[in-house]
Amino acid sequence: MASHRGRHAYPCRVSYPGRPVLDVLQEFVGTASTRQTPEQRARLLAFCAEQYVAGRSIHELAELTGRTQSAVRRALDQAGVRRRRPGARPMTVAPDQSF
């Protein structure tokens, strides 16, 4: 029986670089409270809806607005935006390409 000398069953681990964390946009700094003004709430709803439809993730929107992902989901629901399925976007292949 061979000894692994403390090695794991899978000796080669791949580390992936971390995704950069986005800074809160200046217009949303200090506005994440239960006492938002109607104008602040309207701006949040409009921003989240616009950016989500343009392709931003809920995670990215949470970072950009200083909210939790749950708060962003509620904002999208309140704005009437239909949410995408969870997970990464499916890869698209051009019709003339094959595997």
Side-chain angles (χ1 to χ4, degrees):
M1 187 188 299
S3 171
H4 289 290
R5 297 181 191 226
R7 292 186 184 166
H8 298 289
Y10 301 100
C12 181
R13 292 183 182 224
V14 178
S15 63
Y16 295 97
R19 184 183 64 75
V21 177
L22 303 173
D23 292 328
V24 177
L25 296 175
Q26 190 60 40
E27 67 183 299
F28 296 112
V29 171
T31 63
S33 71
T34 57
R35 297 176 192 250
Q36 294 178 2
T37 66
E39 295 80 18
Q40 289 172 332
R41 185 69 184 166
R43 178 61 191 133
L44 175 70
L45 296 178
F47 176 81
C48 287
E50 171 188 308
Q51 293 296 307
Y52 188 77
V53 169
R56 289 242 188 223
S57 70
I58 290 176
H59 187 93
E60 291 172 323
L61 292 173
E63 289 179 353
L64 289 171
T65 60
R67 272 41 176 212
T68 63
Q69 291 180 40
S70 294
V72 171
R73 279 191 286 274
R74 282 192 302 273
L76 292 172
D77 291 344
Q78 190 175 356
V81 175
R82 184 171 179 201
R83 289 190 268 144
R84 299 184 291 265
R85 299 180 133 220
R89 293 186 200 123
M91 293 177 58
T92 56
V93 178
D96 60 333
Q97 293 180 339
S98 63
F99 290 98

